[in-house]
């Protein structure tokens, strides 16, 4: 075993907690939290300790693969793969237009650098339609954010007097630094409170002072009632609203008309509990709110995003310690704009530049002249992760050209024309752009722990080879920049500005230019980090004072520190009053008025609270996060110590009514499909509500060479038609279903 502990990060959720690793050959033999990491400070959950199951799984690809006419695959060399793929995409761009090439991905939870380089290849071809996992979750919230203040907010839970979690179980899903430590601190402090809105008695709900246990799909009624209490009982922070918020009166008028008692009955929560929780928020010195998939993948999701933000805006919990904050960004994940584009075939909403995932099959399976004809998938598995897996498979198989870049032969890769094997996240420089904290925001460039597995390449090199094959930039054009890079960053910066100003193609292919010229001069195999130089310059120009407070005089100083800081660094330090400058409206005020949302608030009284029918009477939440579930990069299930088959959780009442037994089998049927699962009877579930975990239904080959598929693939049961009206986000957490016991056949032979 190698004696040195090496710094890197976990890649299983957006926190990307710092870890240190001891290697045994190519195995991640020992893992523990990195105390030097500025955000996680040594914290990690149990899942990070199992990361060798990702690094050394039996599904790793080690050669480019090309589909044969018979549907099988053959290994080809990299030169052949690159030349054929580049020629194929150029042919489609020349014949049909580059906008017929669709890109899905940009990296997993910690695999974002490759996505930074994809843009050069795509822009040169004229491709601009894209999507990723964020379009399954966050686009409705992003659209609301754009209207209200122009950016993403994050609660400062470490210091909040009241923490509100809406459809969120941070004990299990983490999502902010040191989540379990922070939750324990809140729970133990008699001066602080936790409010949870969730139909399930989650681990977080068990710790809460107020558990508003809504019926599935009725969060909007609960949130509207909470906001209405603030208005109707005169609990708003009037001084804050008068000074910092516009459009208040129409919102106040809408909330005055909300029948709190009726809405309490609709959502199944005691009216006095709702009123007490609202009063607690209003009385607190600080309050912070976190919404997540429980509402973002359910009916009224965009309305819920608007309503839960009213809780902290009406009470003045912004730009103060323990409140809600805008934050700096190192590599922005969204374009926060109020305008909504439309997809070329179905006219589905394009929010923040992302096509809703539910629309993807419909944008392909048509004879429309503007349909997508080719697709690139990078570090994603949409054939498994998007709604209605069968429709996705049919769509992907119909494409003229599909290329998948991944570490494994995923469900999506098996539908591709070509599959390109990527180096793992621990075999290359890598980072995440989930840099979401305030007042201290962090960035971590992870150095490679290992050389790439033979036959694989890091994504920056894959994209560079593809861009070279297009022949749009002559090598001689890059020579002056290469020479300047050898002289240092100051000389390079000057030469770079000159080159970009005089060569339009350089502007299109910026990441490629950086990789080809600055990349070779970077130490320790960090060529893939070249794109971060441009982002460091942008951060220093966008947040000059905050970057200087963090200790860096300019973008070059920040970039050099990023290269040298093995455990990550703080790149911005804000002061609370900076929040107002981060509001993008010209007057730097929160713009509360959104007519669409006020119309929806007014319509709640007559709106159905659910989608269930006599045929499908139970609400299925597909994709619940549990202690031993993770994203698709954990294909080998041997890391799980319990719940190995991904049990269907049902209530005690439903089990009795349906004749289900704990540990028995059940068939789940929806309008989209049917599957069989083991049963877990749980008091955490309400009658009429069941759940299946995420991360199951992935095939793998066991040590005996047998192919197995444990558990249910959740999206075999979901539908592309169940989606939010504003953002197109799917309703994975609210799928009408029928559940029936499966009789066990006992052989008498």
């Amino acid at each position: 075993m190698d004696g040195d502990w090496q710094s890197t990060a976990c890649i299983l959720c957006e926190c990307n907690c710092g870890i240190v690793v001891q290697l045994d050959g190519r195995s991640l033999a020992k893992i523990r939290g990195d105390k030097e990491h500025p955000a996680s400070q040594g914290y990690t959950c149990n899942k990070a300790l199992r990361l060798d199951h990702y690094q050394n799984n039996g599904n790793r690809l080690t050669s480019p693969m090309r589909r044969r006419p018979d549907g099988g695959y053959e290994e080809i060399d990299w030169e052949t793969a690159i030349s054929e793929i580049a020629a194929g995409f150029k042919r489609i761009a020349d014949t049909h237009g580059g906008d017929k090439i669709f890109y899905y991905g940009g990296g997993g939870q910690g695999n974002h650098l490759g996505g930074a380089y994809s843009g050069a290849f795509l822009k040169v071809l004229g491709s601009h339609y894209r999507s990723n996992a964020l379009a399954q979750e966050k686009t409705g919230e992003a659209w609301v954010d754009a209207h209200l203040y122009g950016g993403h907010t994050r609660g400062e839970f470490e210091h909040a007097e009241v923490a509100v979690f809406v459809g969120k179980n941070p004990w299990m899903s983490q999502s902010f630094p040191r989540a379990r430590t922070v939750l324990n601190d809140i729970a133990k402090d008699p001066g602080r409170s936790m409010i949870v809105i969730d139909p399930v008695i989650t681990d977080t709900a068990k710790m809460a002072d107020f558990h508003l246990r809504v019926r599935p799909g009725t969060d909007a009624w609960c949130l509207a009632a909470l906001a209405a209490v603030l208005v109707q009982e005169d609990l708003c922070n009037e001084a804050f609203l008068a000074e910092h918020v516009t459009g208040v009166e129409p919102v106040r008028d809408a909330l005055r008309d909300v029948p709190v008692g009726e809405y309490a009955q609709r959502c199944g929560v005691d009216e006095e509990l709702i009123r007490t929780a609202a009063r607690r928020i209003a009385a607190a010195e600080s309050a912070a709110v976190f919404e997540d998939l429980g509402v973002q993948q359910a009916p009224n999701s965009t309305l819920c995003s608007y309503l839960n933000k009213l809780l902290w805006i009406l009470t003045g919990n912004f730009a103060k310690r323990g409140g809600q904050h805008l934050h700096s960004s190192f590599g922005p994940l969204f374009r926060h704009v109020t305008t909504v584009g439309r997809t070329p075939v179905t006219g589905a909403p394009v929010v923040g530049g992302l096509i809703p995932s539910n629309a993807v099959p419909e944008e392909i399976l048509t004879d429309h002249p503007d349909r997508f004809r080719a697709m690139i998938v990078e570090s994603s598995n949409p054939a498994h992760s998007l709604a209605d897996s069968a429709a996705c498979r049919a769509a992907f198989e119909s494409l003229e050209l599909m290329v998948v870049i991944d570490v494994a032969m995923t469900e999506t890769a098996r539908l591709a024309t070509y599959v390109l094997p990527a180096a793992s996240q621990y075999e290359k420089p890598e980072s995440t752009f989930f840099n979401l904290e305030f007042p201290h925001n962090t960035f971590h460039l992870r150095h490679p722990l290992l050389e790439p597995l033979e036959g694989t390449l890091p994504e920056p090199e894959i994209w560079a080879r593809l861009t070279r094959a297009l022949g749009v930039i002559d090598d001689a054009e890059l020579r002056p920049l290469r020479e300047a890079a050898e002289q240092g960053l100051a000389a390079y910066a000057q030469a770079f500005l000159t080159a970009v100003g005089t060569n339009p193609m350089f502007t299109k292919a910026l990441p490629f230019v950086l990789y080809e010229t600055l990349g070779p001069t970077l130490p320790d195999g960090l060529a893939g980090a070249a794109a971060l130089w441009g982002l460091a310059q942008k951060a220093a120009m966008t947040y000059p004072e905050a970057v200087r407070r963090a200790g860096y005089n300019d973008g070059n100083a920040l970039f050099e520190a990023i290269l040298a800081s093995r455990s990550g660094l703080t790149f911005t330090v804000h002061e609370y009053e900076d929040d107002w400058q981060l509001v993008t409206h010209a007057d730097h005020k929160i713009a509360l008025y959104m007519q669409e949302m006020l119309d929806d608030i007014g319509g709640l009284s007559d709106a159905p609270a659910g989608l269930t029918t006599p045929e499908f009477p139970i609400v299925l939440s597909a994709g619940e996060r549990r202690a031993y579930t993770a994203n698709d990069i954990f294909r080998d299930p041997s890391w799980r110590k319990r719940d190995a088959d991904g049990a269907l959780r049902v209530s005690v009442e439903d089990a009795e009514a349906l004749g289900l037994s704990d540990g028995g089998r059940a068939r789940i049927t929806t309008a989209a499909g049917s599957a069989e699962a083991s049963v877990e009877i749980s008091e955490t579930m309400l009658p009429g509500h069941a759940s299946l975990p995420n991360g199951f239904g992935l095939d793998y080959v066991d040590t005996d060479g047998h192919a197995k598929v444990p558990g249910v693939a959740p999206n075999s049961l979901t539908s592309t038609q169940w989606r939010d009206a504003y953002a197109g986000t799917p309703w994975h957490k609210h799928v009408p279903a029928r559940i029936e016991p499966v009789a066990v056949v006992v052989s008498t032979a």
Side-chain angles (χ1 to χ4, degrees), residues 648 660 665-669 674-677 738-742:
L648 172 73
L660 303 174
R665 304 288 292 177
R667 176 156 294 281
I668 313 104
T669 303
S674 184
E676 188 178 311
R738 180 174 67 251
I739 298 174
E740 301 160 300
V742 174

Side-chain angles (χ1 to χ4, degrees), residues 578-593:
D578 292 350
D579 260 320
W580 296 112
Q581 293 305 310
L582 295 172
V583 176
T584 61
H585 301 318
D587 58 4
H588 296 291
K589 292 184 178 183
I590 297 171
L592 205 57
Y593 174 74

Side-chain angles (χ1 to χ4, degrees), residues 534-585:
L535 294 175
Q537 307 303 320
K538 185 176 181 180
M541 290 187 289
T542 307
Y543 319 105
E545 290 300 321
V547 169
R548 278 194 283 272
R549 288 190 205 109
Y552 312 108
N553 291 327
D554 56 25
N556 282 343
L558 175 57
F559 179 64
E560 288 177 325
I562 286 170
L563 296 179
S565 302
R566 293 297 185 104
S567 295
L569 52 74
T570 297
F571 73 96
T572 52
V573 176
H574 280 283
E575 296 176 351
Y576 290 114
E577 57 266 29
D578 292 350
D579 260 320
W580 296 112
Q581 293 305 310
L582 295 172
V583 176
T584 61
H585 301 318

Side-chain angles (χ1 to χ4, degrees), residues 31 56 83 120 133 145 161 289 394 469 481 522 542 559 621 630 655 681 695 737 749:
I31 300 171
N56 291 296
S83 63
D145 284 340
E161 182 180 327
V289 181
L481 281 177
L522 300 182
T542 307
F559 179 64
S621 290
I681 301 173

Side-chain angles (χ1 to χ4, degrees), residues 106 112-117 123 328-334 430-435 443-445 492 496 510-511 514-515 518 528-544 547 552 554-560 562 569 571-572:
H112 291 165
L113 268 185
Y117 291 96
K123 285 181 180 179
S328 57
S329 296
F330 196 77
L333 296 169
F334 271 119
E430 196 45 273
S431 64
T432 174
F433 297 136
F434 291 127
N435 318 110
F443 182 81
H444 187 190
L445 171 65
Y492 184 78
F496 183 83
L510 276 180
L514 289 168
Y515 181 78
L518 180 62
L532 301 180
W533 178 81
L535 294 175
Q537 307 303 320
K538 185 176 181 180
M541 290 187 289
T542 307
Y543 319 105
V547 169
Y552 312 108
D554 56 25
N556 282 343
L558 175 57
F559 179 64
E560 288 177 325
I562 286 170
L569 52 74
F571 73 96
T572 52

Side-chain angles (χ1 to χ4, degrees), residues 154-168:
R154 177 58 68 93
E156 194 182 356
F157 296 100
E158 186 175 8
H159 299 123
E161 182 180 327
V162 174
V164 184
F165 300 110
V166 186
K168 173 70 178 173

